Amino acid sequence: MPSIPPLPSFRGQGRAHSPLPRIPVPTARAVVDCAVYVDGRRLPGHFSHADAMTEVSNRGTGFVWVGLHDPDEYQMADIAKTFDLHPLAVEDVVHAHQRPKLERYDDTLFLVLRTVSYVPHEIHSISEIVETGDIMVFTGPNFAVTVRHGEHTGLAGVRKELECQPEQLVYGPGAVLHAVADHVVDSYVEVAQSVENDIDEMEEEIFTPRSRVAVESIYQLKREVVELRRAVNPLGTALEALGRNTGMPLPKEVRRYMRDVADHHVAVAERINDFDEALSALITAALAKVGVQQNTDMRKISAWVAIAAVPTMIAGIYGMNFEHMPELKQVWGYPAVLLLITAICTGLYVNFHRNNWL
């Protein structure tokens, strides 16, 4: 039999829809500030990153400082092309959330710093306490590129303060690297102080008699301290290398300042480690206090059960269906039993209260 040709499909031709081309955002959108510095002074005028690099190349002196905020891969590719940045470092910048580290690519240094910010909160709220971000710094012979991810720990104040100190800016891009690292470590100190205040408040509340113990809040703060430690502690290796390694492409004076920053970092890192130990002790104390409160409640319940057992027992005996029972036919029998019950219960109450059971 002849074959029947297949019917045409009602679903159309099934044409593949190609994704819409991505419209690149100009690099200028990610640039917070761009300036040329010669002999520690900022040159007047506005520069794009390419024009600034051309200006420095023509002068043969000075350096460029470009500040970026949350650049995408296309914007970073443009920056990398201008300043000849290594692709691996550029990839780290785009993806962000990197572990603090220091890498060297020939004469270019790449420093990753984790930024932290304290989030105000109620002492018993289960919420975020420490917010983290990233700052990446590239330094070369005649440029410094700072990249910030997150909405805190801005660098505008650092730039303004550094521009008021031309004696520091004469050291070139290394001065920018030191200023940024010092600013980040100072923010660690401020956050550590705020967290310490929370720990002190929790400690005071736990050891206050008849206070409510919220173990969940302590666990929440302990988790945030762990996150803070992960952001702060790994930076110590990088700062130590910048301050102690004489092979780094940094002026000698900048290395001295970096050693001071490293010392401050060691102090705050040890302080954060102490927080973890203090919170572990607070958790132990809180659980012990909960156990004591439970024992106290059980003693009170047991005491009231013992008092209630007396009238229950006597009423149960006299409720039995017998005729020949003591004082059953006497007129004073009922008041005497009530008086006996009251006397026994009062005696038990006084005894339990004297022994702090009630």
Side-chain angles (χ1 to χ4, degrees):
M1 298 179 62
S3 60
I4 301 175
L7 297 175
S9 174
F10 291 100
R11 296 183 180 181
Q13 301 300 320
R15 291 175 296 178
H17 296 282
S18 58
L20 295 176
R22 184 183 183 278
I23 301 176
V25 180
T27 306
R29 293 285 186 89
V31 176
V32 178
D33 198 358
C34 179
V36 177
Y37 298 90
V38 178
D39 296 331
R41 303 287 181 179
R42 177 170 181 163
L43 295 184
H46 297 280
F47 297 89
S48 67
H49 60 282
D51 293 339
M53 197 63 185
T54 302
E55 180 71 19
V56 170
S57 300
N58 294 336
R59 287 176 174 267
T61 184
F63 70 96
V64 181
W65 181 2
V66 181
L68 305 172
H69 182 233
D70 284 333
D72 58 27
E73 55 181 331
Y74 297 98
Q75 294 165 341
M76 274 307 303
D78 186 20
I79 295 292
K81 182 179 179 181
T82 301
F83 297 100
D84 193 24
L85 305 180
H86 197 278
L88 292 177
V90 173
E91 182 181 358
D92 290 342
V93 170
V94 173
H95 291 90
H97 304 296
Q98 301 294 319
R99 189 174 186 271
K101 61 181 179 179
L102 174 67
E103 295 180 351
R104 180 176 179 179
Y105 301 95
D106 298 327
D107 291 335
T108 301
L109 294 179
F110 176 55
L111 177 64
V112 178
L113 308 101
R114 295 295 304 276
T115 60
V116 295
S117 176
Y118 178 79
V119 180
H121 63 283
E122 296 294 333
I123 188 66
H124 290 302
S125 64
I126 307 300
S127 60
E128 187 179 30
I129 300 174
V130 177
E131 182 182 4
T132 60
D134 300 271
I135 291 181
M136 288 85 165
V137 184
F138 293 92
T139 58
N142 55 1
F143 68 87
V145 178
T146 56
V147 183
R148 180 169 62 92
H149 293 278
E151 300 301 327
H152 59 85
T153 317
L155 299 178
V158 176
R159 183 187 290 264
K160 185 176 180 180
E161 182 179 353
L162 199 56
E163 288 176 353
C164 295
Q165 300 175 353
E167 67 277 5
Q168 295 291 329
L169 277 175
V170 295
Y171 294 115
V176 176
L177 183 66
H178 163 260
V180 173
D182 187 54
H183 174 66
V184 172
V185 173
D186 286 344
S187 69
Y188 292 165
V189 176
E190 295 176 1
V191 173
Q193 182 61 51
S194 299
V195 172
E196 185 176 10
N197 293 337
D198 285 347
I199 295 175
D200 291 341
E201 186 175 350
M202 283 187 176
E203 184 177 7
E204 182 179 357
E205 185 172 353
I206 287 174
F207 292 104
T208 299
R210 295 183 297 276
S211 63
R212 174 180 173 271
V213 178
V215 182
E216 296 85 359
S217 300
I218 305 177
Y219 276 112
Q220 172 69 12
L221 185 55
K222 186 176 176 64
R223 187 186 68 83
E224 295 295 317
V225 167
V226 170
E227 183 177 358
L228 178 61
R229 186 177 60 198
R230 289 175 179 172
V232 173
N233 287 13
L235 183 60
T237 303
L239 295 178
E240 193 69 20
L242 289 172
R244 306 292 178 182
N245 190 348
T246 57
M248 289 293 175
L250 291 174
K252 182 177 181 181
E253 192 66 22
V254 172
R255 289 201 305 271
R256 291 175 179 172
Y257 282 108
M258 292 302 301
R259 287 197 293 269
D260 181 69
V261 176
D263 292 339
H264 292 170
H265 177 270
V266 169
V268 73
E270 292 177 351
R271 195 174 176 185
I272 293 172
N273 290 335
D274 293 340
F275 292 165
D276 190 42
E277 296 177 3
L279 287 172
S280 297
L282 283 182
I283 291 175
T284 303
L287 293 177
K289 187 174 182 179
V290 170
V292 171
Q293 290 176 346
Q294 290 176 345
N295 290 336
T296 301
D297 294 339
M298 288 301 299
R299 287 193 301 178
K300 290 182 179 181
I301 294 172
S302 300
W304 286 114
V305 168
I307 294 174
V310 173
T312 302
M313 180 187 66
I314 296 177
I317 292 174
Y318 278 89
M320 300 173 70
N321 192 18
F322 293 104
E323 293 185 0
H324 302 289
M325 297 184 69
E327 295 85 24
L328 192 61
K329 300 296 184 179
Q330 303 296 329
V331 176
W332 47 267
Y334 180 69
V337 172
L338 291 181
L339 181 63
L340 178 64
I341 292 175
T342 303
I344 295 176
C345 290
T346 302
L348 289 174
Y349 178 84
V350 172
N351 186 48
F352 287 139
H353 185 72
R354 187 179 301 166
N355 289 278
N356 297 322
W357 280 48
L358 289 175

